[in-house]
Amino acid sequence: MQGTIACHACDLLVDVSELKTGQRASCPRCGHSLTRIRKDAHSKVLAYSVAALIALVTANAFPFLSFASSGLESVMTLPQTPAMLWGNGLPMVAILVAAFIIYIPATVLVLLILLCMPLRGERWRPWLKPVGRWVFTLQSWSMVEVFIIGVIVSLVKIMKMATVTMGLSFWGYVFFAILFTMAIAALDKYQMWQEIEALEEQRG
Amino acid sequence: MTTAQPEVKEGGGFNAIWIIPIVALVLGIYMVVHTWMTEGPEITIAFDTAQGLTAGKTKIKYRNVEMGLVTEVFLTDDFEGVKAKVKMDLQAKPLLKADTEFWVVTARIGVGNISGLDTLLSGAYIQMAPGVEGKPGARDFVALPRPPLTAVDAPGLRLNLLSDHAGSISTGDAVLYKGYKVGRVESSEFDSSAERMRYEIFIDAPYHELIDSSVRFYNTSGISLSASAEGLKLSTGSMDTVLLGGIAFARPPDVPEGDPVAPGTEFRLYDSLDATHENPFNNGTHFVVRFSQSLKGLLPGAPVEYRGIVMGRVERIMLKEMIQMGLEADRVAGEVTATGDPIPVLIYMEPGRMALPDTPASVDLLRAVVETGVPNGMRARLETGNLLTGAQYVGLDYYPGADPAEAGTWGDYTEIPTIGGGLNQIMVKVNSILDKIDQAPLEETLVNVNDAVAQLDKALVGLERILNSEETQQLPEDLSKTLEELRQTLDGLSPDSDLYQNVNSSMRQLNRTLNNLESLTRTLSGQPNAAVMGSKLPPDPQPEARQ
């Protein structure tokens, strides 16, 4: 069954072996996008990943938000968010938040770089398979967008009570979230595994 | 026909996608650099206690603008104090000089004021007062234990006042000019080496222009009650200075404006307004007067007056010098002699009090006046100023009848001769009167008086005899009879008597006659010929109307 793919939406088996670079394959029955061969796909993933990592690092280095209410002022940085939760007696929530918004996305980005560097050079590396698997496993646990939406919702509520000022990190983190999403989006799962398989066969 | 083949190259070229990480990198670097560039200095401030200081919360403020944040609070290595690390803003950098001051602002409730109430909600903050000296770049500071009363750079004038005792003035008390607060006491300390109090005061601009070398500062604290040759005197300042104490300054009357003063100039702090009035002149001279009478009630500071005008004051009684001179004389003579010498009193006179210019030339003039005045009868006299308190003062005047004398010297001073006087002289006079009474021929007078009394007695006896005689006893009876007769006579004239009736009818007739006469008079005045021709006349002809 070389070159066929089951549609994610309707499970129709579709033969995509004729697909060429720059083309996109969709399910003939339900119209779901199946796979796509982008030009320089790995370069894109790599570029977005590197940019997202840089954005994440800067987002951690500066004040994220500051609240001021009747003379009381509180400035918070991104790493302080889980630390504060921990200090407030919510260690589990703190660990989860830290993992979902910082560490898992960072790990995903590192894995993406490890994955795409060899694929771009078309070189076999023994970690390609596990890394490829982990990227997609971890990616679903990254909640960057959820966090941003959560922050925005909270801000709308808090703004009535206190003066909220967004710091540099907030915009850095928004930038990171966009780049992170683009990096994930630029990676085509089907094509990636095809290439890994090809490289493994080449070697073997 | 050959077809040209293109040159094909693998890969190469620049992929536009790499612009994204480059942009991210540039932005990241920019943020780091920007933060690093705008980062202010980190300073350390030492405190006695960390009360009110919280790392990450406590702010540094200057004019209520945030200038930094406390990042760390820790004990010093010797556990004797607390240090706070403060991240300052970049704009605070030029303000951090060697004498920049920091202090913690919390709510404070003092006797005269309440401050820092806003910190009850927001928590304490550290106030900064920028320095004025040295170059920017100081990094280690020691916080003030309490807020300074005046900012380092506040416009005004800082002065030192010296006082012999502490009075009731404390830090923060007002400095008043004509009752209006123009400054405050910043610090008070006892200068143990000079044995006196030193107050640092600050006069706010623009009132510091009122200060020149001629003004005098005095204590207005509390209530002062003084008894002097002028009587009892009660003086108080405004209510809050009564309660809290304060310092006032004023230029004594009749004193010309002085020179401007430099910051830090020392002034004497007088005990009262009166004290400033008594010593407003810089030029004066000493004289000695010697009295051989009781000096009780003559206190240092008592006035020296010329015909009631204050010219100076008593400085002190020179008992010590007198004893020394006496001992010296005894030593020379080789034996102890007690002669009851008059007691010298040192007086200080200021020509400025006599509307003369306050200059050394006037002092020379005063000395010349005294030296020429003494041969003409100028004398000092001890006078009683107040009978109630017994205070005495020294009076100067001309006594043409005084024994001739010259202005001598006593010790190092010119001596003005004295003349007994005041209450003393009155007592002398009273004594002489009593002596005269004593010498009067009292016994002879008494015999004469006795004679006179005897004769008076005789006269009284004669008078009594006259009163007791028969004729005198009958006198009231006769008088009574006479009165009875008089009453009967009067009864004859009463309305019931005939006489009265007759007179009444006569009067009525007379009235009627007068009425007739009146009508006659009227007729005559209307028609004067009626007396001759009768009153009837033909009527006047009337004009007739034609038909």
Side-chain angles (χ1 to χ4, degrees), chain A residues 40 42-44 46-48 50-52 54-55 58 62 70-74 120 168-169 172 175 179 182, chain B residues 15 17-29 31-32 34-35 56-57 59 66 69 121-123:
Chain A
D40 292 329
H42 303 307
S43 293
K44 277 180 187 160
L46 213 53
Y48 287 136
V50 170
I54 292 168
T58 49
F62 300 101
S70 60
L72 286 165
E73 200 182 334
S74 177
R120 184 166 169 264
L168 275 178
S169 282
F175 190 43
L179 290 171
M182 286 172 85
Chain B
N15 195 331
I17 197 69
W18 288 103
I19 288 172
I20 290 172
I22 288 168
V23 167
L25 192 68
V26 168
L27 277 178
I29 290 170
M31 280 157 87
V32 171
H34 179 260
T35 309
K57 278 247 166 60
K59 299 214 164 56
E66 282 169 26
L69 187 71
L121 277 177
S122 64

Side-chain angles (χ1 to χ4, degrees), chain A residues 1-6 12-17 190 194 197:
Chain A
M1 293 294 274
Q2 186 73 27
T4 56
I5 186 169
L12 182 73
L13 275 178
V14 184
D15 181 8
V16 291
S17 55
Y190 176 75
Q194 291 289 325
E197 192 181 21

Side-chain angles (χ1 to χ4, degrees), chain B residues 30-76:
Chain B
Y30 167 75
M31 280 157 87
V32 171
V33 170
H34 179 260
T35 309
W36 183 66
M37 292 286 282
T38 55
E39 190 165 75
E42 193 178 56
I43 61 168
T44 313
I45 309 174
F47 293 90
D48 289 339
T49 158
Q51 189 183 7
L53 302 179
T54 315
K57 278 247 166 60
T58 309
K59 299 214 164 56
I60 313 290
K61 289 187 182 179
Y62 171 57
R63 293 185 192 276
N64 247 341
V65 174
E66 282 169 26
M67 282 286 168
L69 187 71
V70 173
T71 53
E72 202 182 334
V73 180
F74 53 93
L75 277 174
T76 52

Side-chain angles (χ1 to χ4, degrees), chain B residues 79-94:
Chain B
F79 308 113
E80 291 289 305
V82 173
K83 280 192 173 181
K85 269 203 176 127
V86 179
K87 193 90 181 159
M88 297 299 288
D89 288 357
L90 188 66
Q91 59 170 338
K93 208 170 178 177

Side-chain angles (χ1 to χ4, degrees), chain B residues 86-336:
Chain B
V86 179
K87 193 90 181 159
M88 297 299 288
D89 288 357
L90 188 66
Q91 59 170 338
K93 208 170 178 177
L95 304 175
L96 297 169
K97 296 179 182 175
D99 59 345
T100 301
E101 290 175 332
F102 295 89
W103 65 93
V104 176
V105 178
T106 52
R108 278 173 209 274
I109 300 176
V111 191
N113 60 339
I114 297 171
S115 67
L117 282 186
D118 52 338
T119 60
L120 289 179
L121 277 177
S122 64
Y125 61 89
I126 298 171
Q127 180 82 39
M128 179 174 86
V132 286
E133 278 171 32
K135 283 184 190 168
R139 293 292 176 265
D140 288 299
F141 300 93
V142 176
L144 303 177
R146 65 182 66 82
L149 292 157
T150 315
V152 180
D153 58 344
L157 185 64
R158 204 167 256 108
L159 299 169
N160 286 308
L161 300 184
L162 303 172
S163 173
D164 293 337
H165 54 91
S168 56
I169 295 158
S170 53
T171 304
D173 284 350
V175 176
L176 307 168
Y177 180 68
K178 294 186 190 291
Y180 181 71
K181 184 176 176 180
V182 297
R184 68 205 67 80
V185 178
E186 288 198 308
S187 70
S188 56
E189 56 175 3
F190 187 72
D191 187 347
S192 54
S193 62
E195 284 284 309
R196 58 188 175 179
M197 285 298 297
R198 173 184 291 270
Y199 299 103
E200 196 173 71
I201 64 166
F202 188 82
I203 311 290
D204 294 321
Y207 307 111
H208 68 285
E209 286 166 12
L210 296 167
I211 308 283
D212 60 36
S213 60
S214 71
V215 302
R216 270 140 222 282
F217 291 86
Y218 60 94
N219 188 342
T220 61
S221 305
I223 299 166
S224 93
L225 176 69
S226 60
S228 66
E230 280 134 20
L232 288 170
K233 194 161 205 171
L234 177 75
S235 59
T236 66
S238 66
M239 204 56 211
D240 57 339
T241 58
V242 169
L243 292 173
L244 303 175
I247 290 174
F249 66 89
R251 180 176 297 122
D254 306 330
V255 172
E257 280 190 28
D259 307 317
V261 298
T265 306
E266 291 183 349
F267 281 88
R268 189 181 145 190
L269 179 63
Y270 292 86
D271 284 344
S272 68
L273 180 62
D274 291 343
T276 69
H277 286 178
E278 277 160 20
N279 196 15
F281 302 103
N282 297 320
N283 294 291
T285 181
H286 288 98
F287 292 99
V288 166
V289 288
R290 295 199 295 155
F291 296 106
S292 41
Q293 62 201 77
S294 166
L295 295 180
K296 188 173 178 182
L298 185 71
L299 302 170
V304 173
E305 295 181 359
Y306 170 71
R307 292 183 178 168
I309 298 159
V310 176
M311 287 174 60
R313 59 184 150 72
V314 171
E315 192 117 316
R316 64 192 164 88
I317 294 167
M318 301 170 79
L319 209 54
K320 203 168 127 189
E321 285 89 338
M322 180 196 166
I323 298 297
Q324 267 173 357
M325 282 175 86
L327 291 175
E328 185 69 21
D330 289 347
R331 202 179 56 77
V332 171
E335 58 177 341
V336 174

